[in-house]
Amino acid sequence: MKSLPYFLLSLCCIIVAEPSLAQQQQELGLKDYYHNLFPIGVAVNGRAIKGDEAALIKQEFNSITAENAMKMGPIHPEENRYNWGLADSIVHFASANNLRVRGHTLLWHQQTPKWIFVDENGDQVSKELLLKRLREHILAVVGRYKGKIYAWDVVNEAIDDNPEKFLRESKWMEIIGEEVFARAFEYAHEADPDALLFYNDYNSERPEKRERILRLLKNLTEAGVPIHGVGLQGHWSIFEPSETDLEEAIERYASLGLQLHITELDMSVYPWEKERRQKRADESDAYTPELEQKQIDQFEKVFGIFRKYAEHITNVTFWNVSDRYSWLDHYPVHGRKNYPLLFDQNLQRKKAYWKVVDFKKD
Ligand code: GLA
C-alpha cells in the first residue's frame, strides 16, 4: 500500500504538471510551429472573417490576403467610386488579431474594370491617361492602407501562357507597353516607401516559365525599379512541382537578391488543366485514401523545401482556409470538388497538417 504522503505528492505533481504534448499540439497553430521561420498566411473573403473559419484563422495563421476584395475591379468599379467596405473589414480583422496583411493585387489582366480603358465617349484612352489613372488608383489603394499592408503583389501574371512568347497580351500592354510594369512598382513605392513590392505568378517553378519570369525581373531590377520580391503562387498538385524544379526556381530567383513569398498555396488532387470545362458525368471527385496519401507526401516535400530555404522564403500563404470552400471547386472544372488545403470540410486538421508541422527530418 502506498502511503498518504506519497499519494499527496503524486496528486500535487499531476496538478502542476506541464501540459502534455497532445495538449500543446491542440493549442499551437501553424503560425507557432513556423514562428522562427516565416509567417503563415491565408486568403480570405467576407465569410471567412466571421464565425468558425475566423476562429480557425486566429488559431492557425498570422498573415492574411484578401482573395478578391483589393483587386482593381472589385475595389474601384467606377472612376469616381471605390468600394472600400470589405477591404477595410479585412484590414480591421487583421489589426484586431495581430495578423500581417499581404495586399493583392494592383496590376493584372483580369478583374480589371472596363471604365479604366475608355474615355467618356467609349473610345480607348491614351497611354498618358491610362498611366495617370493607374497612378491614381495605386496611390489611393496603397495609400489608404499605408503602414497596415506590409507587402503588395504589385504586378500579377504578366508572362504569356505560350512558352514561345514573353509578355501576355492585355489592354495594359496594348495601350502602355512593357513600361507599365515598372511604372506600377514606382507608383506603389511612392504611395508607401516601406511596403515590400512583389511580382507574382503561377507555374513559376516550371523551367520554361521560370526563365521568362527571370527575364522580366532582371529588366526591372537592372532599371532600378523598386521591387523586393517574387511571389510563387503555388497553385500546385499531387503531380507537381518536382523537388528539383522547386529548388532550382527558389535558388534562381533568390540569386537576383529578391525575397520569395509563396503567395497562393493549394495542392490540387487533380492534374493541371488550363481550359475551363464542366465535370463529366462519369468523373469521380472522391477524396480517396490514395489521393490523400499523395497529397500528404507532396505537402511534406514542399514544406521541407520551404524550411530548407527559409533564409529566402519570407511568407507562405494558403489560398483559402479549408476544403469547405476552395476556388478549385469550380475552376477549371465546374462542379468538381477539390480537397487542396490542410483543413477538411469540418475545419479539422487533415493528416497532411501533422506532416507539415513535423520537423524531425530536418
Ligand atoms: C490567380 C490570382 C488570384 C486568384 C486565383 C484564383 O492566382 O492571382 O487572385 O484569382 O487566380 O482564385
Side-chain angles (χ1 to χ4, degrees):
M1 272 279 289
K2 290 185 173 132
S3 64
L4 186 65
Y6 180 85
F7 171 75
L8 288 174
L9 186 68
S10 328
L11 193 66
C12 197
C13 287
I14 292 167
I15 291 166
V16 298
E18 294 286 306
S20 68
L21 189 59
Q23 281 167 325
Q24 279 185 29
Q25 285 173 338
Q26 279 301 312
E27 287 154 18
L28 295 180
L30 288 169
K31 64 181 188 322
D32 306 303
Y33 291 99
Y34 279 86
H35 181 70
N36 294 325
L37 295 170
F38 36 72
I40 303 277
V42 63
V44 298
N45 50 33
R47 205 197 44 234
I49 56 171
K50 301 189 193 101
D52 52 358
E53 285 182 313
L56 181 78
I57 292 169
K58 292 182 218 172
Q59 161 81 17
E60 300 284 350
F61 299 95
N62 52 4
S63 176
I64 59 173
T65 304
E67 183 180 3
N68 289 298
M70 294 183 191
K71 291 172 179 170
M72 194 183 268
I75 208 169
H76 196 175
E78 292 166 35
E79 181 162 15
N80 296 313
R81 184 165 70 86
Y82 284 89
N83 238 341
W84 298 117
L86 181 53
D88 281 0
S89 308
I90 291 170
V91 172
H92 177 76
F93 176 84
S95 27
N97 295 295
N98 217 5
L99 313 170
R100 291 160 184 261
V101 188
R102 295 194 80 261
H104 175 84
T105 179
L106 300 171
L107 181 68
W108 192 25
H109 63 285
Q110 285 182 20
Q111 289 181 265
T112 302
K114 290 204 173 58
W115 67 263
I116 202 155
F117 301 117
V118 289
D119 64 17
E120 60 286 1
N121 303 318
D123 295 328
Q124 185 160 298
V125 291
S126 66
K127 174 176 174 177
E128 290 65 36
L129 182 55
L130 189 56
L131 279 171
K132 181 168 174 283
R133 287 180 171 179
L134 177 65
R135 178 167 176 270
E136 281 168 3
H137 171 81
I138 291 179
L139 291 187
V141 177
V142 177
R144 185 174 183 92
Y145 302 117
K146 183 169 185 232
K148 295 186 175 153
I149 293 192
Y150 88 106
W152 272 101
D153 291 329
V154 176
V155 175
N156 203 31
E157 304 178 349
I159 301 296
D160 204 289
D161 283 331
N162 179 348
E164 306 299 318
K165 294 189 176 161
F166 178 37
L167 296 168
R168 182 192 299 277
E169 285 173 21
S170 70
K171 278 275 163 214
W172 299 107
M173 280 290 290
E174 182 188 329
I175 301 172
I176 302 176
E178 181 174 350
E179 175 193 340
V180 71
F181 305 122
R183 296 291 91 78
F185 280 98
E186 286 162 7
Y187 301 152
H189 188 63
E190 179 185 348
D192 185 354
D194 295 326
L196 297 172
L197 306 181
F198 281 73
Y199 173 75
N200 190 45
D201 214 330
Y202 59 88
N203 292 343
S204 32
E205 50 298 311
R206 289 188 184 174
E208 59 81 13
K209 186 146 179 192
R210 178 193 75 204
E211 290 309 307
R212 291 181 294 144
I213 296 175
L214 282 164
R215 181 170 152 201
L216 174 63
L217 295 173
K218 273 190 197 147
N219 290 350
L220 293 169
T221 50
E222 283 168 10
V225 169
I227 173 170
H228 310 104
V230 55
L232 279 56
Q233 289 187 357
H235 289 303
W236 293 331
S237 77
I238 55 175
F239 304 99
E240 62 176 336
S242 70
E243 186 170 338
T244 315
D245 282 357
L246 181 54
E247 294 202 346
E248 276 179 18
I250 294 170
E251 288 172 16
R252 295 292 303 279
Y253 293 127
S255 74
L256 295 184
L258 296 171
Q259 51 181 295
L260 278 82
H261 282 185
I262 310 298
T263 53
E264 306 185 16
L265 180 61
D266 43 29
M267 203 64 79
S268 170
V269 298
Y270 309 109
W272 169 267
E273 279 180 65
K274 179 68 194 149
E275 302 307 324
R276 287 169 185 249
R277 64 173 174 87
Q278 288 290 326
K279 178 174 175 284
R280 291 185 299 265
D282 63 345
E283 192 173 8
S284 165
D285 58 3
Y287 189 44
T288 63
E290 290 73 23
L291 291 176
E292 182 180 28
Q293 188 55 52
K294 286 189 175 140
Q295 190 186 46
I296 293 169
D297 296 343
Q298 186 73 330
F299 265 125
E300 183 179 17
K301 180 177 89 185
V302 301
F303 269 88
I305 295 173
F306 298 161
R307 293 194 297 274
K308 176 172 168 190
Y309 289 96
E311 174 196 348
H312 302 299
I313 295 177
T314 49
N315 185 303
V316 174
T317 288
F318 287 86
W319 204 249
N320 299 129
V321 183
S322 75
D323 291 349
R324 185 186 283 178
Y325 163 75
S326 156
W327 72 292
L328 293 171
D329 293 337
H330 47 84
Y331 183 87
V333 179
H334 195 80
R336 183 183 66 181
K337 181 75 193 141
N338 210 322
Y339 311 86
L341 297 159
L342 289 184
F343 301 92
D344 68 17
Q345 294 178 70
N346 298 314
L347 309 190
Q348 300 302 306
R349 293 160 173 172
K350 291 163 61 177
K351 286 184 197 151
Y353 178 102
W354 298 110
K355 289 291 182 188
V356 161
V357 299
D358 178 358
F359 296 8
K360 277 202 290 289
K361 285 193 189 153
D362 292 2

